Amino acid sequence: MLPLNAQASSMDELQAQTARQIAESADWQQFRSRSATRKDPVSHPLGVQTLSVEKREKKQRSSALSSGQEPSSAPLLVYQFHYELAQARMLVVDTTTESVLNGHIVDSVHLPLNQTEIDFSINLINQQPVLLDKFRDEQVRSGRTPFSQLEQLDVKASIYEPRDINDACATQRCALLSLFDQSNTVFSTEPVVNLQTFAVTLLGNR
Protein backbone atom coordinates (compact mmCIF):
# COMPACT_ATOMS: atom_id res chain seq x y z
CA MET A 1 0.00 0.00 0.00
CA LEU A 2 1.23 3.48 -0.84
CA PRO A 3 1.97 5.87 2.03
CA LEU A 4 -0.79 8.39 2.71
CA ASN A 5 1.24 11.28 1.36
CA ALA A 6 1.99 9.33 -1.83
CA GLN A 7 -1.69 8.48 -2.23
CA ALA A 8 -2.63 12.13 -1.75
CA SER A 9 0.01 13.18 -4.26
CA SER A 10 -1.27 10.70 -6.84
CA MET A 11 -4.83 11.86 -6.27
CA ASP A 12 -3.81 15.51 -6.66
CA GLU A 13 -2.01 14.73 -9.92
CA LEU A 14 -5.02 12.81 -11.23
CA GLN A 15 -7.40 15.65 -10.35
CA ALA A 16 -5.09 18.23 -11.90
CA GLN A 17 -4.86 16.16 -15.09
CA THR A 18 -8.65 15.81 -15.19
CA ALA A 19 -9.11 19.56 -14.61
CA ARG A 20 -6.64 20.30 -17.38
CA GLN A 21 -8.50 18.06 -19.84
CA ILE A 22 -11.87 19.62 -18.94
CA ALA A 23 -10.50 23.16 -19.36
CA GLU A 24 -8.82 22.36 -22.66
CA SER A 25 -12.11 21.12 -24.09
CA ALA A 26 -14.10 24.13 -22.81
CA ASP A 27 -15.21 26.60 -25.47
CA TRP A 28 -13.60 30.04 -25.37
CA GLN A 29 -16.68 31.76 -26.80
CA GLN A 30 -18.34 32.00 -23.38
CA PHE A 31 -15.28 33.26 -21.53
CA ARG A 32 -13.65 35.79 -23.82
CA SER A 33 -13.93 39.54 -24.04
CA ARG A 34 -15.99 41.45 -26.59
CA SER A 35 -12.84 42.95 -28.05
CA ALA A 36 -11.59 39.47 -28.92
CA THR A 37 -14.86 38.57 -30.69
CA ARG A 38 -14.56 41.61 -32.96
CA LYS A 39 -11.30 40.50 -34.54
CA ASP A 40 -10.35 37.41 -36.48
CA PRO A 41 -8.00 35.16 -34.51
CA VAL A 42 -4.49 34.82 -35.96
CA SER A 43 -3.09 31.31 -36.19
CA HIS A 44 -0.31 30.68 -33.69
CA PRO A 45 1.75 27.50 -33.14
CA LEU A 46 1.25 27.62 -29.36
CA GLY A 47 -2.54 27.69 -29.68
CA VAL A 48 -4.10 27.42 -26.22
CA GLN A 49 -1.72 26.83 -23.32
CA THR A 50 -2.75 25.67 -19.86
CA LEU A 51 -0.42 27.59 -17.57
CA SER A 52 -1.30 26.27 -14.12
CA VAL A 53 -3.81 24.26 -12.12
CA GLU A 54 -4.36 25.39 -8.54
CA LYS A 55 -6.49 24.30 -5.62
CA ARG A 56 -9.44 26.32 -4.44
CA GLU A 57 -10.39 25.48 -0.88
CA LYS A 58 -14.08 25.11 -0.10
CA LYS A 59 -15.47 26.90 2.95
CA GLN A 60 -17.19 23.68 3.93
CA ARG A 61 -13.90 21.78 4.04
CA SER A 62 -12.95 22.79 7.58
CA SER A 63 -16.40 21.96 8.96
CA ALA A 64 -16.37 18.58 7.24
CA LEU A 65 -13.00 17.77 8.73
CA SER A 66 -14.12 18.78 12.22
CA SER A 67 -17.17 16.51 11.95
CA GLY A 68 -15.07 13.58 10.80
CA GLN A 69 -16.62 13.51 7.34
CA GLU A 70 -14.57 13.03 4.19
CA PRO A 71 -14.55 16.41 2.40
CA SER A 72 -15.54 16.47 -1.24
CA SER A 73 -12.98 17.50 -3.80
CA ALA A 74 -12.49 21.24 -3.89
CA PRO A 75 -12.85 22.93 -7.28
CA LEU A 76 -9.62 23.60 -9.13
CA LEU A 77 -8.61 26.85 -10.78
CA VAL A 78 -7.21 26.44 -14.27
CA TYR A 79 -5.35 29.35 -15.89
CA GLN A 80 -4.94 29.39 -19.66
CA PHE A 81 -3.67 31.66 -22.41
CA HIS A 82 -5.12 31.64 -25.92
CA TYR A 83 -2.41 32.80 -28.32
CA GLU A 84 -4.73 33.23 -31.28
CA LEU A 85 -7.01 35.51 -29.26
CA ALA A 86 -4.13 37.01 -27.22
CA GLN A 87 -6.18 36.49 -24.08
CA ALA A 88 -5.96 34.79 -20.68
CA ARG A 89 -8.75 33.21 -18.67
CA MET A 90 -9.37 31.42 -15.40
CA LEU A 91 -11.84 28.54 -15.15
CA VAL A 92 -13.26 27.01 -11.98
CA VAL A 93 -13.41 23.27 -12.65
CA ASP A 94 -15.21 20.59 -10.66
CA THR A 95 -13.45 17.29 -11.27
CA THR A 96 -16.19 15.30 -9.52
CA THR A 97 -18.89 16.35 -11.98
CA GLU A 98 -16.30 16.96 -14.71
CA SER A 99 -17.73 20.38 -15.46
CA VAL A 100 -16.74 24.03 -15.63
CA LEU A 101 -18.53 25.87 -12.81
CA ASN A 102 -17.65 29.36 -14.00
CA GLY A 103 -14.83 31.42 -15.40
CA HIS A 104 -13.69 34.86 -16.36
CA ILE A 105 -11.15 36.73 -18.45
CA VAL A 106 -7.85 37.52 -16.71
CA ASP A 107 -6.78 41.05 -17.56
CA SER A 108 -3.06 40.23 -17.71
CA VAL A 109 -0.61 38.51 -20.03
CA HIS A 110 1.92 38.05 -17.25
CA LEU A 111 0.83 34.70 -15.85
CA PRO A 112 3.67 32.20 -15.20
CA LEU A 113 5.20 30.32 -18.12
CA ASN A 114 4.59 26.63 -18.67
CA GLN A 115 7.20 24.18 -19.94
CA THR A 116 5.88 24.24 -23.52
CA GLU A 117 6.37 28.01 -23.67
CA ILE A 118 9.87 27.70 -22.21
CA ASP A 119 10.83 25.05 -24.76
CA PHE A 120 9.38 27.22 -27.53
CA SER A 121 11.48 30.18 -26.34
CA ILE A 122 14.66 28.11 -26.25
CA ASN A 123 13.96 26.83 -29.75
CA LEU A 124 13.61 30.40 -31.05
CA ILE A 125 16.95 31.35 -29.47
CA ASN A 126 18.52 28.27 -31.03
CA GLN A 127 17.56 29.73 -34.41
CA GLN A 128 19.59 32.90 -33.76
CA PRO A 129 23.21 32.10 -34.80
CA VAL A 130 24.40 35.68 -34.20
CA LEU A 131 23.06 35.58 -30.66
CA LEU A 132 24.62 32.16 -30.00
CA ASP A 133 27.98 33.50 -31.15
CA LYS A 134 27.55 36.41 -28.75
CA PHE A 135 27.14 33.94 -25.89
CA ARG A 136 30.25 32.04 -26.98
CA ASP A 137 32.29 35.22 -27.29
CA GLU A 138 31.40 36.09 -23.71
CA GLN A 139 32.70 32.72 -22.55
CA VAL A 140 35.94 33.10 -24.48
CA ARG A 141 36.57 36.60 -23.09
CA SER A 142 36.28 35.25 -19.55
CA GLY A 143 38.54 32.28 -20.22
CA ARG A 144 35.79 29.66 -20.35
CA THR A 145 35.35 26.97 -22.96
CA PRO A 146 32.55 27.97 -25.33
CA PHE A 147 29.58 25.64 -25.66
CA SER A 148 28.90 23.88 -28.96
CA GLN A 149 25.18 23.22 -28.49
CA LEU A 150 22.67 25.37 -26.63
CA GLU A 151 21.44 22.22 -24.89
CA GLN A 152 24.69 22.22 -22.91
CA LEU A 153 23.51 25.30 -21.02
CA ASP A 154 21.06 25.48 -18.16
CA VAL A 155 18.17 27.87 -18.72
CA LYS A 156 16.05 29.67 -16.16
CA ALA A 157 12.99 31.24 -17.74
CA SER A 158 10.40 33.59 -16.29
CA ILE A 159 7.60 35.75 -17.58
CA TYR A 160 8.92 39.19 -18.50
CA GLU A 161 6.96 42.16 -17.19
CA PRO A 162 8.71 45.42 -18.14
CA ARG A 163 8.37 48.62 -16.15
CA ASP A 164 8.06 50.62 -19.34
CA ILE A 165 4.39 50.55 -20.36
CA ASN A 166 5.43 51.31 -23.95
CA ASP A 167 7.45 48.12 -24.16
CA ALA A 168 5.72 45.51 -26.34
CA CYS A 169 6.04 43.00 -23.51
CA ALA A 170 3.81 45.17 -21.32
CA THR A 171 0.85 43.92 -23.32
CA GLN A 172 2.26 40.80 -24.96
CA ARG A 173 3.46 37.55 -23.48
CA CYS A 174 7.28 37.44 -23.29
CA ALA A 175 9.86 35.16 -21.71
CA LEU A 176 13.07 36.36 -20.07
CA LEU A 177 15.83 33.74 -20.20
CA SER A 178 18.90 33.55 -17.97
CA LEU A 179 21.57 31.15 -19.19
CA PHE A 180 24.19 29.28 -17.12
CA ASP A 181 27.12 27.27 -18.41
CA GLN A 182 28.79 24.22 -16.85
CA SER A 183 30.77 26.42 -14.45
CA ASN A 184 27.41 27.71 -13.14
CA THR A 185 28.31 31.17 -14.44
CA VAL A 186 25.38 33.26 -15.61
CA PHE A 187 25.68 35.03 -18.95
CA SER A 188 25.45 38.81 -18.85
CA THR A 189 23.39 38.67 -22.05
CA GLU A 190 19.74 37.93 -21.27
CA PRO A 191 17.47 37.34 -24.24
CA VAL A 192 13.80 38.31 -24.19
CA VAL A 193 11.53 36.23 -26.42
CA ASN A 194 8.18 37.67 -27.44
CA LEU A 195 6.02 34.57 -27.59
CA GLN A 196 3.33 36.31 -29.60
CA THR A 197 5.47 37.88 -32.33
CA PHE A 198 8.54 35.55 -32.10
CA ALA A 199 10.87 38.57 -31.79
CA VAL A 200 14.10 37.91 -29.87
CA THR A 201 15.81 40.91 -28.26
CA LEU A 202 18.33 41.51 -25.48
CA LEU A 203 17.32 42.88 -22.12
CA GLY A 204 20.06 45.52 -22.02
CA ASN A 205 19.28 46.75 -25.54
CA ARG A 206 15.59 47.43 -25.07
Side-chain angles (χ1 to χ4, degrees):
M1 180 179 293
L2 290 173
L4 289 178
N5 58 347
Q7 289 178 323
S9 177
S10 298
M11 181 63 69
D12 288 345
E13 291 176 5
L14 179 60
Q15 290 177 343
Q17 182 179 1
T18 300
R20 182 186 298 268
Q21 293 172 345
I22 294 169
E24 290 174 352
S25 63
D27 184 20
W28 275 78
Q29 185 66 34
Q30 183 179 359
F31 302 113
R32 71 182 191 181
S33 68
R34 294 179 180 177
S35 62
T37 62
R38 290 199 300 266
K39 62 184 179 181
D40 295 330
V42 178
S43 178
H44 192 289
L46 285 174
V48 177
Q49 291 296 317
T50 297
L51 306 178
S52 66
V53 179
E54 303 174 5
K55 287 185 176 181
R56 177 186 177 186
E57 294 297 332
K58 283 185 175 181
K59 293 181 179 178
Q60 296 85 358
R61 184 178 178 85
S62 58
S63 60
L65 287 173
S66 62
S67 63
Q69 300 175 353
E70 182 67 23
S72 58
S73 299
L76 297 178
L77 308 181
V78 182
Y79 291 87
Q80 297 178 303
F81 190 81
H82 196 310
Y83 275 90
E84 295 179 2
L85 296 175
Q87 194 168 84
R89 73 177 180 182
M90 185 275 288
L91 299 180
V92 182
V93 176
D94 188 329
T95 57
T96 301
T97 60
E98 297 189 354
S99 62
V100 176
L101 301 180
N102 57 67
H104 63 78
I105 296 303
V106 176
D107 188 23
S108 174
V109 297
H110 301 121
L111 298 172
L113 299 170
N114 68 10
Q115 190 59 50
T116 299
E117 292 172 311
I118 294 173
D119 293 342
F120 188 82
S121 300
I122 295 173
N123 184 58
L124 286 178
I125 292 176
N126 224 353
Q127 298 173 30
Q128 305 284 329
V130 174
L131 181 57
L132 295 178
D133 285 342
K134 186 178 181 67
F135 293 144
R136 295 187 182 103
D137 288 344
E138 181 177 334
Q139 288 180 301
V140 171
R141 288 196 305 271
S142 62
R144 291 174 284 155
T145 303
F147 66 92
S148 56
Q149 302 292 328
L150 186 61
E151 290 74 15
Q152 295 175 260
L153 305 180
D154 291 328
V155 180
K156 179 181 180 181
S158 59
I159 194 71
Y160 178 57
E161 187 173 0
R163 295 181 180 179
D164 182 1
I165 61 174
N166 296 315
D167 191 306
C169 295
T171 57
Q172 295 177 332
R173 195 160 172 79
C174 299
L176 172 64
L177 279 68
S178 298
L179 308 178
F180 302 81
D181 63 15
Q182 293 180 340
S183 67
N184 204 32
T185 302
V186 63
F187 287 77
S188 61
T189 303
E190 291 184 295
V192 174
V193 177
N194 188 316
L195 292 167
Q196 293 179 236
T197 66
F198 315 134
V200 178
T201 56
L202 301 181
L203 184 60
N205 296 337
R206 301 178 64 81

